[in-house]
Amino acid sequence: MDPSDLRSLPKVDLHRHLEGAIRLSTIIDLAREHEVTLPGRTPEDLAPHARITRPVSSLEEALAAFGYAQGSFRSYAAVRRIAREAVEDLAADNVRLAELRFSPGFMCAPAGLDWDRAMEEVLTGVAEAREAGNDVAVGLISIFSRDYPETAEATVGFALRWRDHLVGFDIAGPEVDYPPDLYVDLVRPLREAGIHLTTHYGESGPPEYPRRAVELLLTERLGHGLSVSRDPAVTDLVIERGVTLEMCPTSNWLTHGVAAVAEHPVRDLLRRGARATLNTDDPSLFGIDLTHEYEVARDEIGFADDDFRAAVRNSLEASFLPPDVKEDVRARHFAWAR
Ligand SMILES: [Zn+2]
């Protein structure tokens, strides 16, 4: 690999929210089509309102910025466009395997869209981008948002209905006061149906939360899992069970998961044998892409070439996409990570 050119390096992103991956120019176009007024008419003018580029002072501040993205799902055509462009942007960043996740409850709420029809549009948007030559293997994950508790059963039903077109299920949203214990019954039918599980734990919550997500929910991957590094017993548990950590350095800094990017535990976890990975979370919201996260890992976290290789091998192994798809991607793009 050439560490001075991380943009052309083939990459994997396992943790990217569709709702956090909408181009600002698209947010503006969609608002104009639907005659909605935004605080800016150009991406430059909108950015200070719709982007988070310094650590947030409150959750409300982050949610307000996210509201512009959420409000963009105004029609089925908008859903299709957002999905198509998300894949185009992955290809432009040389991401060759990606898992895109979205919460039907969160995404469909503002315009009252039908979840199943929205899912069809997501699938069509992804297919259109791939047919146009964007060489990205894409898996879709449906999310239950903890702050939309009334959608819990419906989201599980959605995942079961669409199981042939989804690669996994996620539990996300505010973490503190929403311990894994609450969701044991919720995930049981998913496990019985063989649906892969990742959960957002250890992002803002104590190590106890990821520990219980592993022990009680049998989560295969943790969204962030930052606090795993704060308790040696939980670090050991995650290593023993082979749980993958979907880490997102810039996101973790902007939401106060770490005081500075340089203090991010991803490199040390990798070197201890944890299955840590590098991801973006919400690239448009933060004004980043995966190349940026790789550069941050190299320049601020101290990644050596072998750390990148280990992280990408972890991502390929932990991806919920079918083995034959992963093998094809590995053979065509990831000789560098062997
Ligand atoms: Zn996330």
Side-chain angles (χ1 to χ4, degrees), residues 51-69:
R51 273 204 170 137
I52 295 170
T53 54
R54 57 190 163 73
V56 287
S57 52
S58 67
L59 184 63
E60 288 67 32
E61 186 188 330
L63 291 177
F66 217 67
Y68 296 110

PDB file of all heavy atoms in Angstrom, residues 51-69:
ATOM      1  N   ARG A  51     -24.117  20.954   9.211  1.00  0.00           N
ATOM      2  CA  ARG A  51     -22.912  20.163   9.453  1.00  0.00           C
ATOM      3  C   ARG A  51     -22.422  20.359  10.869  1.00  0.00           C
ATOM      4  O   ARG A  51     -22.591  21.430  11.444  1.00  0.00           O
ATOM      5  CB  ARG A  51     -21.792  20.607   8.507  1.00  0.00           C
ATOM      6  CG  ARG A  51     -21.872  19.881   7.228  1.00  0.00           C
ATOM      7  CD  ARG A  51     -20.574  19.803   6.476  1.00  0.00           C
ATOM      8  NE  ARG A  51     -20.827  18.864   5.392  1.00  0.00           N
ATOM      9  CZ  ARG A  51     -20.426  19.017   4.146  1.00  0.00           C
ATOM     10  NH1 ARG A  51     -19.693  20.073   3.831  1.00  0.00           N
ATOM     11  NH2 ARG A  51     -20.718  18.121   3.235  1.00  0.00           N
ATOM     12  N   ILE A  52     -21.773  19.338  11.370  1.00  0.00           N
ATOM     13  CA  ILE A  52     -21.128  19.425  12.681  1.00  0.00           C
ATOM     14  C   ILE A  52     -19.638  19.263  12.445  1.00  0.00           C
ATOM     15  O   ILE A  52     -19.189  18.213  11.984  1.00  0.00           O
ATOM     16  CB  ILE A  52     -21.659  18.318  13.611  1.00  0.00           C
ATOM     17  CG1 ILE A  52     -23.144  18.554  13.887  1.00  0.00           C
ATOM     18  CG2 ILE A  52     -20.866  18.269  14.894  1.00  0.00           C
ATOM     19  CD1 ILE A  52     -23.822  17.405  14.593  1.00  0.00           C
ATOM     20  N   THR A  53     -18.871  20.323  12.731  1.00  0.00           N
ATOM     21  CA  THR A  53     -17.434  20.264  12.452  1.00  0.00           C
ATOM     22  C   THR A  53     -16.595  20.565  13.686  1.00  0.00           C
ATOM     23  O   THR A  53     -15.377  20.625  13.620  1.00  0.00           O
ATOM     24  CB  THR A  53     -17.061  21.263  11.342  1.00  0.00           C
ATOM     25  OG1 THR A  53     -17.528  22.555  11.732  1.00  0.00           O
ATOM     26  CG2 THR A  53     -17.699  20.874  10.021  1.00  0.00           C
ATOM     27  N   ARG A  54     -17.267  20.808  14.803  1.00  0.00           N
ATOM     28  CA  ARG A  54     -16.557  20.921  16.085  1.00  0.00           C
ATOM     29  C   ARG A  54     -17.421  20.212  17.116  1.00  0.00           C
ATOM     30  O   ARG A  54     -18.625  20.036  16.894  1.00  0.00           O
ATOM     31  CB  ARG A  54     -16.337  22.386  16.460  1.00  0.00           C
ATOM     32  CG  ARG A  54     -17.614  23.145  16.532  1.00  0.00           C
ATOM     33  CD  ARG A  54     -17.438  24.646  16.668  1.00  0.00           C
ATOM     34  NE  ARG A  54     -18.692  25.288  16.339  1.00  0.00           N
ATOM     35  CZ  ARG A  54     -19.771  25.286  17.112  1.00  0.00           C
ATOM     36  NH1 ARG A  54     -19.747  24.699  18.301  1.00  0.00           N
ATOM     37  NH2 ARG A  54     -20.889  25.869  16.732  1.00  0.00           N
ATOM     38  N   PRO A  55     -16.803  19.767  18.229  1.00  0.00           N
ATOM     39  CA  PRO A  55     -17.582  18.981  19.192  1.00  0.00           C
ATOM     40  C   PRO A  55     -18.884  19.685  19.588  1.00  0.00           C
ATOM     41  O   PRO A  55     -18.896  20.885  19.860  1.00  0.00           O
ATOM     42  CB  PRO A  55     -16.617  18.855  20.375  1.00  0.00           C
ATOM     43  CG  PRO A  55     -15.266  18.876  19.738  1.00  0.00           C
ATOM     44  CD  PRO A  55     -15.381  19.876  18.615  1.00  0.00           C
ATOM     45  N   VAL A  56     -19.975  18.939  19.574  1.00  0.00           N
ATOM     46  CA  VAL A  56     -21.286  19.530  19.858  1.00  0.00           C
ATOM     47  C   VAL A  56     -21.383  19.931  21.322  1.00  0.00           C
ATOM     48  O   VAL A  56     -20.788  19.309  22.190  1.00  0.00           O
ATOM     49  CB  VAL A  56     -22.444  18.550  19.543  1.00  0.00           C
ATOM     50  CG1 VAL A  56     -22.606  18.407  18.050  1.00  0.00           C
ATOM     51  CG2 VAL A  56     -22.238  17.207  20.203  1.00  0.00           C
ATOM     52  N   SER A  57     -22.146  21.000  21.571  1.00  0.00           N
ATOM     53  CA  SER A  57     -22.324  21.415  22.964  1.00  0.00           C
ATOM     54  C   SER A  57     -23.507  20.692  23.588  1.00  0.00           C
ATOM     55  O   SER A  57     -23.637  20.624  24.794  1.00  0.00           O
ATOM     56  CB  SER A  57     -22.495  22.931  23.051  1.00  0.00           C
ATOM     57  OG  SER A  57     -23.508  23.343  22.174  1.00  0.00           O
ATOM     58  N   SER A  58     -24.382  20.157  22.747  1.00  0.00           N
ATOM     59  CA  SER A  58     -25.516  19.424  23.308  1.00  0.00           C
ATOM     60  C   SER A  58     -26.048  18.463  22.253  1.00  0.00           C
ATOM     61  O   SER A  58     -25.815  18.640  21.057  1.00  0.00           O
ATOM     62  CB  SER A  58     -26.636  20.389  23.699  1.00  0.00           C
ATOM     63  OG  SER A  58     -27.169  20.980  22.525  1.00  0.00           O
ATOM     64  N   LEU A  59     -26.791  17.487  22.736  1.00  0.00           N
ATOM     65  CA  LEU A  59     -27.424  16.539  21.821  1.00  0.00           C
ATOM     66  C   LEU A  59     -28.403  17.283  20.911  1.00  0.00           C
ATOM     67  O   LEU A  59     -28.542  16.978  19.732  1.00  0.00           O
ATOM     68  CB  LEU A  59     -28.151  15.459  22.628  1.00  0.00           C
ATOM     69  CG  LEU A  59     -28.777  14.333  21.801  1.00  0.00           C
ATOM     70  CD1 LEU A  59     -27.706  13.540  21.058  1.00  0.00           C
ATOM     71  CD2 LEU A  59     -29.587  13.395  22.691  1.00  0.00           C
ATOM     72  N   GLU A  60     -29.070  18.295  21.466  1.00  0.00           N
ATOM     73  CA  GLU A  60     -30.062  19.049  20.696  1.00  0.00           C
ATOM     74  C   GLU A  60     -29.406  19.698  19.471  1.00  0.00           C
ATOM     75  O   GLU A  60     -29.986  19.747  18.390  1.00  0.00           O
ATOM     76  CB  GLU A  60     -30.714  20.145  21.558  1.00  0.00           C
ATOM     77  CG  GLU A  60     -31.665  19.625  22.620  1.00  0.00           C
ATOM     78  CD  GLU A  60     -30.987  18.827  23.720  1.00  0.00           C
ATOM     79  OE1 GLU A  60     -29.819  19.113  24.062  1.00  0.00           O
ATOM     80  OE2 GLU A  60     -31.614  17.879  24.239  1.00  0.00           O
ATOM     81  N   GLU A  61     -28.175  20.176  19.677  1.00  0.00           N
ATOM     82  CA  GLU A  61     -27.463  20.817  18.571  1.00  0.00           C
ATOM     83  C   GLU A  61     -27.226  19.808  17.439  1.00  0.00           C
ATOM     84  O   GLU A  61     -27.422  20.108  16.259  1.00  0.00           O
ATOM     85  CB  GLU A  61     -26.126  21.357  19.095  1.00  0.00           C
ATOM     86  CG  GLU A  61     -25.368  22.173  18.080  1.00  0.00           C
ATOM     87  CD  GLU A  61     -23.962  22.516  18.575  1.00  0.00           C
ATOM     88  OE1 GLU A  61     -23.752  22.647  19.795  1.00  0.00           O
ATOM     89  OE2 GLU A  61     -23.077  22.623  17.716  1.00  0.00           O
ATOM     90  N   ALA A  62     -26.839  18.601  17.835  1.00  0.00           N
ATOM     91  CA  ALA A  62     -26.598  17.564  16.822  1.00  0.00           C
ATOM     92  C   ALA A  62     -27.901  17.193  16.123  1.00  0.00           C
ATOM     93  O   ALA A  62     -27.949  17.035  14.908  1.00  0.00           O
ATOM     94  CB  ALA A  62     -25.978  16.327  17.474  1.00  0.00           C
ATOM     95  N   LEU A  63     -28.963  17.078  16.887  1.00  0.00           N
ATOM     96  CA  LEU A  63     -30.247  16.678  16.313  1.00  0.00           C
ATOM     97  C   LEU A  63     -30.796  17.743  15.369  1.00  0.00           C
ATOM     98  O   LEU A  63     -31.407  17.434  14.346  1.00  0.00           O
ATOM     99  CB  LEU A  63     -31.260  16.365  17.415  1.00  0.00           C
ATOM    100  CG  LEU A  63     -30.946  15.100  18.223  1.00  0.00           C
ATOM    101  CD1 LEU A  63     -31.958  14.903  19.343  1.00  0.00           C
ATOM    102  CD2 LEU A  63     -30.878  13.865  17.348  1.00  0.00           C
ATOM    103  N   ALA A  64     -30.559  19.021  15.710  1.00  0.00           N
ATOM    104  CA  ALA A  64     -31.021  20.096  14.835  1.00  0.00           C
ATOM    105  C   ALA A  64     -30.322  19.998  13.487  1.00  0.00           C
ATOM    106  O   ALA A  64     -30.958  20.114  12.428  1.00  0.00           O
ATOM    107  CB  ALA A  64     -30.746  21.451  15.493  1.00  0.00           C
ATOM    108  N   ALA A  65     -29.018  19.764  13.515  1.00  0.00           N
ATOM    109  CA  ALA A  65     -28.273  19.628  12.256  1.00  0.00           C
ATOM    110  C   ALA A  65     -28.782  18.423  11.479  1.00  0.00           C
ATOM    111  O   ALA A  65     -28.952  18.474  10.257  1.00  0.00           O
ATOM    112  CB  ALA A  65     -26.778  19.486  12.547  1.00  0.00           C
ATOM    113  N   PHE A  66     -29.066  17.337  12.189  1.00  0.00           N
ATOM    114  CA  PHE A  66     -29.529  16.116  11.544  1.00  0.00           C
ATOM    115  C   PHE A  66     -30.931  16.288  10.959  1.00  0.00           C
ATOM    116  O   PHE A  66     -31.316  15.595  10.027  1.00  0.00           O
ATOM    117  CB  PHE A  66     -29.511  14.964  12.553  1.00  0.00           C
ATOM    118  CG  PHE A  66     -29.105  13.656  11.957  1.00  0.00           C
ATOM    119  CD1 PHE A  66     -27.816  13.472  11.504  1.00  0.00           C
ATOM    120  CD2 PHE A  66     -30.000  12.613  11.835  1.00  0.00           C
ATOM    121  CE1 PHE A  66     -27.425  12.266  10.940  1.00  0.00           C
ATOM    122  CE2 PHE A  66     -29.623  11.402  11.272  1.00  0.00           C
ATOM    123  CZ  PHE A  66     -28.337  11.232  10.823  1.00  0.00           C
ATOM    124  N   GLY A  67     -31.685  17.224  11.508  1.00  0.00           N
ATOM    125  CA  GLY A  67     -33.050  17.452  11.044  1.00  0.00           C
ATOM    126  C   GLY A  67     -33.128  17.817   9.572  1.00  0.00           C
ATOM    127  O   GLY A  67     -34.075  17.414   8.877  1.00  0.00           O
ATOM    128  N   TYR A  68     -32.137  18.539   9.058  1.00  0.00           N
ATOM    129  CA  TYR A  68     -32.157  18.907   7.638  1.00  0.00           C
ATOM    130  C   TYR A  68     -32.041  17.659   6.767  1.00  0.00           C
ATOM    131  O   TYR A  68     -32.666  17.571   5.710  1.00  0.00           O
ATOM    132  CB  TYR A  68     -31.034  19.894   7.314  1.00  0.00           C
ATOM    133  CG  TYR A  68     -31.203  21.198   8.049  1.00  0.00           C
ATOM    134  CD1 TYR A  68     -30.345  21.557   9.077  1.00  0.00           C
ATOM    135  CD2 TYR A  68     -32.243  22.067   7.716  1.00  0.00           C
ATOM    136  CE1 TYR A  68     -30.514  22.744   9.772  1.00  0.00           C
ATOM    137  CE2 TYR A  68     -32.429  23.252   8.401  1.00  0.00           C
ATOM    138  CZ  TYR A  68     -31.559  23.593   9.431  1.00  0.00           C
ATOM    139  OH  TYR A  68     -31.740  24.751  10.112  1.00  0.00           O
ATOM    140  N   ALA A  69     -31.223  16.718   7.222  1.00  0.00           N
ATOM    141  CA  ALA A  69     -31.078  15.469   6.473  1.00  0.00           C
ATOM    142  C   ALA A  69     -32.360  14.646   6.569  1.00  0.00           C
ATOM    143  O   ALA A  69     -32.891  14.178   5.560  1.00  0.00           O
ATOM    144  CB  ALA A  69     -29.893  14.677   7.016  1.00  0.00           C
TER     145      ALA A  69
END
